[in-house]
Amino acid sequence: MSDVAERVKKIVVEHLGVEADKVVASANFIDDLGADSLDTVELVMAFEEEFNVEIPDDAAETIVTVGDAVKFLEKNATA
Amino acid sequence: MFSLTGKTALVTGATGGIGGAMARALAAQGARVAVSGTRVEVLEALAAELGGGAVALPCNLSDSASVEALVPAAEAALGQVDILVNNAGITRDNLFLRMKDEEWGQVIAVNLTASFRLMRAVVKGMMRRRNGRIISIGSIVGTTGNPGQGNYAASKAGLIGMSKALAAEVASRGVTVNVIAPGFIESPMTEALNDKQREAILENVPMGRLGTGGDIAAAAVFLASPEAAYLTGQTLHVNGGMAMI
């Protein structure tokens, strides 16, 4: 697992209070991990902070699964 | 009850009568308070009077860069902001037909837009901590309207709608968002009234007196307290019965 994936996993576990082994690439934040719409905004903000990157609203809308987040951040992260 | 020990608060417009009373009351309940306003000397005297780690953060809310800098400055000074009191407000009264865009814009910028920015800035940390209190000072005029105050009434009514929207968004995170709507409160503005004007106002106040800063501060302490955890999206009218809504 990449370094980015590890950091994403840590943030998701912390924010959503879910078991680490549920945070797999295919896990959907809302359907599989129980996030509500506010959680997804908080996660995006936490990713922005951790990876020093701005995630515009239209990009945030495409981040639906853990794997989507990892893919986006691997491409755009500056930290 | 109503203890604020260990809590931190940011109060804007703290050099005014109502703002100063609220800052004193929050501090008296144990909160560490950051007071903000434009009059630096008055502000520093107030912070010194409050003691207990109170800090003065001068800020001109009509300047957007200053607004953006205020919450980070408060968080740096206090560690975090548990309670935000949006109190600062200005009036630029004029009859509708004569009202300049500038008079409209200034009032909306300070009373509504600055409040929006401060709320947006503090709510992030509050959500993360699953706890927070946002209190905005509205006005009876935001509900009843008042001739000569189209801009002011709009800004105060705007605070109510905005607070309800945010309250609905963050209720699940333990953050409450409410408005206190004062009626006629003793202040330099009402001191300028002559006896006849004062009498005319009091005729409409069943309580038979003007309100005091302390009357508003008591409501603020309540809304800020842990006991008010289930109260959100509301407007508390503190007006001596002058309008019963």
Side-chain angles (χ1 to χ4, degrees):
Chain A
M1 199 183 266
S2 74
D3 164 56
V4 169
E6 271 305 321
R7 285 154 75 194
V8 165
K9 187 171 183 172
K10 187 160 173 274
I11 289 172
V12 173
V13 167
E14 255 169 41
H15 272 263
L16 299 181
V18 290
E19 312 248 326
D21 55 12
K22 288 207 176 122
V23 186
V24 293
S26 63
N28 181 299
F29 288 113
I30 291 172
D31 296 336
D32 300 321
L33 301 176
D36 63 18
S37 61
L38 211 50
D39 287 319
T40 60
V41 173
E42 281 184 291
L43 280 172
V44 164
M45 283 163 61
F47 294 148
E48 288 180 329
E49 217 164 281
E50 167 72 20
F51 295 95
N52 188 31
V53 58
E54 194 160 323
I55 307 177
D57 286 347
D58 54 351
E61 276 166 25
T62 66
I63 300 177
V64 177
T65 65
V66 174
D68 294 337
V70 172
K71 214 185 294 167
F72 178 90
L73 292 166
E74 278 177 341
K75 209 192 287 176
N76 297 290
T78 64
Chain B
M1 283 181 103
F2 313 129
S3 167
L4 300 177
T5 303
K7 300 288 184 191
T8 56
L10 168 62
V11 180
T12 68
T15 54
I18 294 176
M22 289 192 293
R24 288 185 183 92
L26 294 171
Q29 295 308 109
R32 247 186 101 206
V33 182
V35 287
S36 183
T38 48
R39 288 178 291 161
V40 179
E41 277 172 31
V42 185
L43 207 57
E44 278 169 359
L46 176 63
E49 178 202 324
L50 294 177
V55 289
L57 300 174
C59 179
N60 176 1
L61 293 180
S62 59
D63 175 59
S64 59
S66 304
V67 176
E68 292 296 335
L70 181 56
V71 169
E75 287 175 339
L78 302 172
Q80 62 191 50
V81 177
D82 300 312
I83 302 158
L84 168 68
V85 182
N86 276 317
N87 167 67
I90 60 170
T91 55
R92 295 286 182 272
D93 295 356
N94 211 339
L95 291 174
F96 228 91
L97 283 171
R98 303 288 299 165
M99 188 170 286
K100 313 276 181 300
D101 285 358
E102 202 175 66
E103 292 166 334
W104 169 268
Q106 286 173 347
V107 168
I108 296 297
V110 173
N111 298 8
L112 190 57
T113 307
S115 297
F116 158 70
R117 290 197 172 122
L118 296 177
M119 287 157 83
R120 183 179 57 184
V122 293
V123 80
K124 194 173 166 188
M126 290 177 175
M127 282 169 61
R128 196 174 292 148
R129 295 187 297 274
R130 298 291 190 267
N131 184 271
R133 296 284 183 269
I134 296 174
I135 301 164
S136 295
I137 304 306
S139 166
I140 180 61
V141 162
T143 302
T144 62
N146 198 28
Q149 293 199 306
N151 48 4
Y152 186 77
S155 73
K156 296 301 188 177
L159 279 177
I160 293 176
M162 177 167 71
S163 296
K164 287 178 178 176
L166 181 59
E169 287 185 23
V170 298
S172 66
R173 300 301 193 270
V175 180
T176 71
V177 189
N178 292 290
V179 175
I180 299 172
F184 275 102
I185 305 300
E186 277 173 15
S187 72
M189 193 174 77
T190 48
E191 270 165 31
L193 300 170
N194 63 38
D195 285 351
K196 209 172 164 192
Q197 290 169 315
R198 185 175 277 256
E199 245 170 61
I201 288 169
L202 289 181
E203 260 174 36
N204 294 315
V205 182
M207 208 68 83
R209 65 170 177 86
L210 296 181
T212 64
D215 291 325
I216 306 305
V221 164
F222 168 60
L223 290 177
S225 73
E227 283 78 7
Y230 199 54
L231 202 165
T232 195
Q234 304 300 317
T235 301
L236 216 50
H237 288 274
V238 183
N239 60 29
M242 140 186 196
M244 303 190 188
I245 300 135

